[in-house]
């Protein structure tokens, strides 16, 4: 079992930056892919970005390309999401997820999820 805990959310203004963190613990050796998802009020959860735990290859949804950057620190079992040029439409609860499969995209089966951290972007 892998436990995930997100942090770093908050209230910011449009154009600001924010960095989310996700701490992984437990059986982290089974992790092959990790990702960030988000869910806005009244909307379905959507994929934001994913990363290969070993090689660092990444994938992003189109709406965040060029603004968000996903990274990981394997030695610390940490996942990050650097969010720049934030927009009000980025407002959502952000979740990190881990997968035992060697994929990290929107259709990957994720086995572990964090509790989420709220990001609110005011206009």
């Amino acid at each position: 079992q892998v436990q995930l805990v997100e942090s770093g959310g908050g209230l910011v203004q449009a154009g600001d930056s924010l960095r989310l963190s996700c701490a992984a613990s437990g059986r982290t050796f089974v992790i092959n892919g990790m990702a960030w998802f988000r869910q806005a009020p009244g909307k379905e959860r959507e994929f934001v970005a994913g990363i290969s735990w070993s090689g660092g290859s990444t994938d992003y949804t189109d709406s965040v390309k060029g603004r968000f950057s996903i990274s990981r620190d394997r030695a610390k079992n940490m996942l990050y999401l650097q969010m720049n040029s934030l927009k009000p439409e980025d407002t959502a609860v952000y979740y990190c997820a881990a997968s035992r499969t060697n994929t990290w995209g929107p259709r990957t089966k994720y086995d572990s999820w964090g509790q989420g951290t709220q990001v609110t972007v005011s206009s």
Side-chain angles (χ1 to χ4, degrees):
Q1 192 81 345
V2 174
Q3 292 79 43
L4 303 173
V5 178
E6 303 95 336
S7 62
L11 172 63
V12 296
Q13 293 186 331
D16 285 351
S17 298
L18 207 56
R19 188 195 196 203
L20 303 184
S21 300
C22 174
S25 61
R27 295 167 56 90
T28 56
F29 59 88
V30 304
I31 297 174
N32 283 303
M34 292 197 75
W36 288 97
F37 284 76
R38 65 186 179 186
Q39 187 166 21
K43 295 187 177 181
E44 293 187 353
R45 186 172 58 193
E46 66 168 343
F47 172 85
V48 176
I51 188 168
S52 163
W53 194 241
S54 60
S57 297
T58 59
D59 187 18
Y60 296 91
T61 192
D62 287 345
S63 63
V64 307
K65 285 181 180 177
R67 299 189 299 123
F68 291 12
S69 178
I70 188 172
S71 62
R72 88 274 188 257
D73 185 331
R74 292 178 62 193
K76 296 180 178 179
N77 288 324
M78 293 292 295
L79 178 72
Y80 304 101
L81 185 68
Q82 178 66 42
M83 305 185 293
N84 300 326
S85 302
L86 282 161
K87 304 176 181 180
E89 49 264 44
D90 295 318
T91 295
V93 177
Y94 283 72
Y95 300 89
C96 69
S99 174
R100 285 176 286 182
T101 65
N102 197 26
T103 59
W104 45 92
R107 286 175 289 279
T108 294
K109 180 184 181 300
Y110 293 94
D111 310 289
S112 302
W113 293 84
Q115 83 291 346
T117 186
Q118 176 71 48
V119 172
T120 303
V121 185
S122 63
S123 58

